[in-house]
Amino acid sequence: MFNLNPKNIGSVLIILVIATLISSALMYLAGYEILSAQVERSVRAGDKQPGRGEIAELRQELQAANRRNLEQIARLRTELLTSDMATNVERILDGATTDAEKTMRLALWVSSNIRNDRASDYGRDPLAWFSNRVGRCGAKTRMFVEMLKFANIPAGVFNIYNFNRNFGAHSVAQVYYDGAWHMFDVTYAGVFMRGDHVMSWEEIKQDPETAHENMVVFQKTIDRYISENREGGRRVNNNERMKQVYTVDYIRNARTYGFWRGDDMKVLFPQVDLSEHPDGLVLGEIDGAFADVTSDGREMGISGEMGRSLGTHRDTFSLEWEFINPTPDRLYRLNIHSYRASQGDLKFWAKSDTAVIERGAEFETTESKTTERLWKSSPATWSVDFRCGDTGGCRLAMGYDFRGPNRGLFIDKIEILPAAR
């Protein structure tokens, strides 16, 4: 494995990219020369020109050789970037003896060396983000977790949803050492202490007052508030920001959370005051995108992540609707419009102990809707008719037979309408 000075890694990667482009170009030029030479030899020998099948076979061989070339360069890239991260981790942890000390050192390093910028502009994996020293909460946390692997310390990305008045989502790390979990926020840069013990998210939830009182904020950070040009923004007062993000009420009211890519289905709790929408409520639009549904849900104060509910993503959500102030005994229709679905035989369900479901308690995708890489378009609507009775409200749960991430629906529109009797 290569051992590079971190200052030189950027230059090495630039050279690697240039080499990739030159290599690919030469490979294609060589391919055309080989094809031309094959045709010329055949003509001189008095043979007929190669048929389409022969030429296609030659092209396939050239494409396979080109793929092997690119795969070799990709492996070299990974090896270079991995060595860069390993070298830095070794330097940061020099002299540290306990897992608690190692974790804290790495958390402080990420908080004070990674600038708050969109990671997707620089690559798609923690190694690339680390090399460019960029990332927001999800990227920073994944980077931190990746660095902990070199210290043999187990950790996972832990997501918290509907975490503030704007129904935002946030990523932190849960790190396991000394027989317990501990939460580290390397974005807002801090931890919550009980004595010498770094509290886990579960402990913070159980006692938010103590957690808030014993918040420890990392002082050195290069983070800045995002501005329109992405280059400026005033420097963050981290003491102020941590207290604004982790208020006692925000901690207490957080209900949707868990490990990223976990084996569980997380629950969203959308809340709708039906008296404020006598003619119905619409999130998103047909032929739109799930992001529009999510944006509308936030703007209307219903819930975040609505477009990601009922499957399709690495974090999967079921729904537990709370309907307030319904018209007594009125029939309502809840429509879930999907524009894509995963494989067939997924069984969706609607349940309630406080509402009467008159239609749509079950919904099933019956055909395979997937190709090797892309989900085919498969528009469908799941309609649930329900009435809340004479009470001041009711709850309606919606979910499906969960079989792991990336299975379910792509939702482009959700409607809650008065139903025809």
Side-chain angles (χ1 to χ4, degrees):
M1 183 174 288
F2 296 92
N3 190 3
L4 298 174
N5 186 324
K7 295 181 179 179
N8 298 331
I9 190 69
S11 300
V12 172
L13 289 176
I14 291 172
I15 294 171
L16 186 58
V17 171
I18 294 173
T20 301
L21 296 174
I22 294 174
S23 177
S24 298
L26 291 176
M27 182 64 71
Y28 281 115
L29 289 173
Y32 284 118
E33 291 179 2
I34 292 173
L35 286 173
S36 299
Q38 175 70 24
V39 173
E40 185 178 351
R41 283 196 302 271
S42 297
V43 172
R44 287 180 178 177
D47 297 334
K48 63 178 182 179
Q49 294 188 10
R52 292 182 180 177
E54 295 173 284
I55 293 177
E57 184 176 347
L58 283 171
R59 282 178 175 163
Q60 288 177 358
E61 292 177 3
L62 291 171
Q63 289 170 355
N66 190 47
R67 282 195 299 271
R68 288 193 296 271
N69 183 43
L70 295 177
E71 289 169 359
Q72 183 178 2
I73 293 174
R75 285 193 297 271
L76 177 60
R77 167 197 175 273
T78 299
E79 188 172 350
L80 287 167
L81 293 178
T82 301
S83 178
D84 177 41
M85 181 179 283
T87 300
N88 276 274
V89 170
E90 183 179 4
R91 175 180 55 80
I92 295 165
L93 299 184
D94 184 37
T97 57
T98 67
D99 287 348
E101 184 182 1
K102 293 175 183 178
T103 303
M104 185 61 73
R105 281 199 188 185
L106 291 176
L108 289 167
W109 187 92
V110 172
S111 298
S112 60
N113 287 273
I114 306 301
R115 69 183 186 276
N116 190 24
D117 207 345
R118 189 168 58 191
S120 59
D121 290 346
Y122 298 88
R124 296 187 178 184
D125 60 79
L127 294 173
W129 306 332
F130 177 86
S131 176
N132 288 282
R133 306 293 195 263
V134 295
R136 296 181 185 168
C137 69
K140 283 184 179 180
T141 305
R142 287 180 61 187
M143 205 183 309
F144 176 51
V145 169
E146 195 71 20
M147 294 173 75
L148 285 165
K149 291 180 182 178
F150 291 98
N152 297 314
I153 299 174
V157 177
F158 192 87
N159 288 340
I160 309 170
Y161 297 96
N162 290 340
F163 186 45
N164 51 41
R165 62 181 177 272
N166 298 318
F167 296 100
H170 184 49
S171 295
V172 298
Q174 291 261 65
V175 186
Y176 191 84
Y177 59 82
D178 294 343
W181 289 101
H182 311 268
M183 194 190 90
F184 286 78
D185 189 328
V186 294
T187 305
Y188 296 129
V191 293
F192 300 86
M193 304 295 297
R194 181 182 288 146
D196 295 330
H197 170 77
V198 176
M199 300 172 72
S200 68
W201 170 252
E202 290 74 14
E203 292 170 328
I204 294 168
K205 278 286 293 177
Q206 290 170 4
D207 192 357
E209 290 83 3
T210 298
H212 189 268
E213 183 180 348
N214 293 282
M215 181 188 304
V216 176
V217 179
F218 303 156
Q219 295 301 318
K220 184 183 177 183
T221 173
I222 62 171
D223 204 356
R224 295 176 181 270
Y225 288 126
I226 298 297
S227 64
E228 290 184 2
N229 63 15
R230 290 176 45 214
E231 298 295 334
R234 70 179 179 87
R235 198 174 188 88
V236 168
N237 179 334
N238 213 38
N239 291 292
E240 172 188 322
R241 183 176 63 167
M242 274 287 284
K243 289 180 171 60
Q244 291 174 347
V245 171
Y246 288 99
T247 69
V248 172
D249 285 342
Y250 288 166
I251 294 172
R252 182 181 291 116
N253 294 332
R255 303 169 69 187
T256 305
Y257 46 82
F259 281 102
W260 180 57
R261 288 180 169 177
D263 295 328
D264 60 332
M265 183 157 45
K266 300 168 181 65
V267 184
L268 293 175
F269 300 90
Q271 187 179 85
V272 179
D273 188 337
L274 293 171
S275 67
E276 296 180 357
H277 306 278
D279 298 322
L281 170 71
V282 179
L283 309 179
E285 61 182 357
I286 298 296
D287 295 328
F290 68 84
D292 300 326
V293 180
T294 293
S295 177
D296 287 349
R298 286 176 177 165
E299 290 180 5
M300 295 183 185
I302 295 171
S303 173
E305 309 302 327
M306 291 296 293
R308 299 177 183 269
S309 56
L310 302 177
T312 72
H313 299 279
R314 289 168 179 156
D315 271 352
T316 304
F317 303 96
S318 62
L319 297 169
E320 288 196 12
W321 294 90
E322 181 179 2
F323 298 109
I324 303 170
N325 298 322
T327 301
D329 208 35
R330 185 175 200 175
L331 186 67
Y332 292 92
R333 176 164 295 167
L334 173 57
N335 292 324
I336 305 288
H337 297 275
S338 63
Y339 60 97
R340 291 181 184 174
S342 70
Q343 290 179 334
D345 302 325
L346 286 181
K347 296 180 179 180
F348 294 79
W349 46 260
K351 302 176 182 178
S352 178
D353 294 330
T354 56
V356 176
I357 299 175
E358 298 193 2
R359 173 176 174 263
E362 295 182 355
F363 175 74
E364 185 173 352
T365 56
T366 57
E367 299 179 10
S368 177
K369 303 297 182 184
T370 60
T371 61
E372 182 179 351
R373 296 184 63 187
L374 298 175
W375 289 350
K376 293 182 178 178
S377 175
S378 54
T381 300
W382 177 19
S383 296
V384 180
D385 290 354
F386 68 95
R387 64 177 81 244
C388 292
D390 296 329
T391 63
C394 63
R395 295 179 182 274
L396 179 67
M398 304 178 76
Y400 67 102
D401 180 20
F402 180 69
R403 304 178 195 171
N406 298 320
R407 294 176 61 85
L409 302 176
F410 277 98
I411 296 173
D412 57 7
K413 186 178 182 180
I414 297 177
E415 299 174 296
I416 303 172
L417 306 169
R421 292 183 179 274

